[in-house]
Amino acid sequence: MADLSGIIELHREHYRKGVLNNLFFTTLHLREYHYQKQKNNAFYHIQAINLPFQNFEFNYLP
């Protein structure tokens, strides 16, 4: 399991109490695939809610 504490701590000034934070991850391959699919398919934009990015939600408690 990866330790995300460093990147979370680096951006701590942007977090607010009581707000659910999102941290998104992707790979170069998934990102290129997403943009190529979007370029080739006008209807893909409508389905953009299903992006191939990993999502990590958290509350920041210092």
Side-chain angles (χ1 to χ4, degrees), residues 45-59:
H45 184 71
I46 297 169
Q47 300 171 345
I49 195 165
N50 297 319
L51 294 175
F53 307 133
Q54 297 300 313
N55 181 25
F56 174 67
E57 294 181 333
F58 64 97
N59 285 304

Side-chain angles (χ1 to χ4, degrees), residues 26-57:
T26 190
T27 64
L28 181 59
H29 174 75
L30 285 175
R31 182 179 171 172
E32 288 176 356
Y33 172 79
H34 162 69
Y35 288 117
Q36 187 63 41
K37 190 171 180 180
Q38 189 175 23
K39 178 183 172 187
N40 293 336
N41 184 350
F43 295 104
Y44 178 73
H45 184 71
I46 297 169
Q47 300 171 345
I49 195 165
N50 297 319
L51 294 175
F53 307 133
Q54 297 300 313
N55 181 25
F56 174 67
E57 294 181 333

